[in-house]
Amino acid sequence: MSTAGPVTAESIPSVRPDIRVRKIRGTLVVAVPEQAFELAETTAFIWKRIDGVLTVGGIGELLAREYEIDVETAVEDTIEVLSELVEYGAVRV
């Protein structure tokens, strides 16, 4: 259930307004219409920075600083994570 084209570093992600998010025992759980899934630590970091303004590349830069990895790798990882969230129907770009 994709809600857009491919995710790029210039894409600006936003969370769909009908998505439910809960924190359960310290883990973020995202519920889309047909399923729910837990977010791993780095995915939760990315999720929390989706504001409809910041680009994927910008989120990747924040990820690089937080986890002390190179920016190129962080942006690639962010693109991969957000592509999956788009496929789940939780995020739009």
Side-chain angles (χ1 to χ4, degrees), residues 28-93:
L28 281 183
V29 176
V30 175
V32 294
E34 308 228 351
Q35 63 184 338
F37 48 93
E38 292 182 13
L39 301 182
E41 180 182 343
T42 53
T43 304
F45 180 91
I46 292 167
W47 180 271
K48 291 176 185 177
R49 278 130 191 102
I50 299 171
D51 61 4
V53 176
L54 198 57
T55 65
V56 172
I59 295 171
E61 289 173 16
L62 295 172
L63 184 70
R65 273 188 251 144
E66 179 70 18
Y67 290 94
E68 299 178 349
I69 59 176
D70 68 273
V71 173
E72 184 177 330
T73 299
V75 171
E76 289 172 4
D77 290 350
T78 302
I79 289 170
E80 183 178 328
V81 165
L82 288 171
S83 294
E84 289 181 24
L85 291 172
V86 167
E87 283 300 315
Y88 284 126
V91 172
R92 293 184 277 212
V93 292

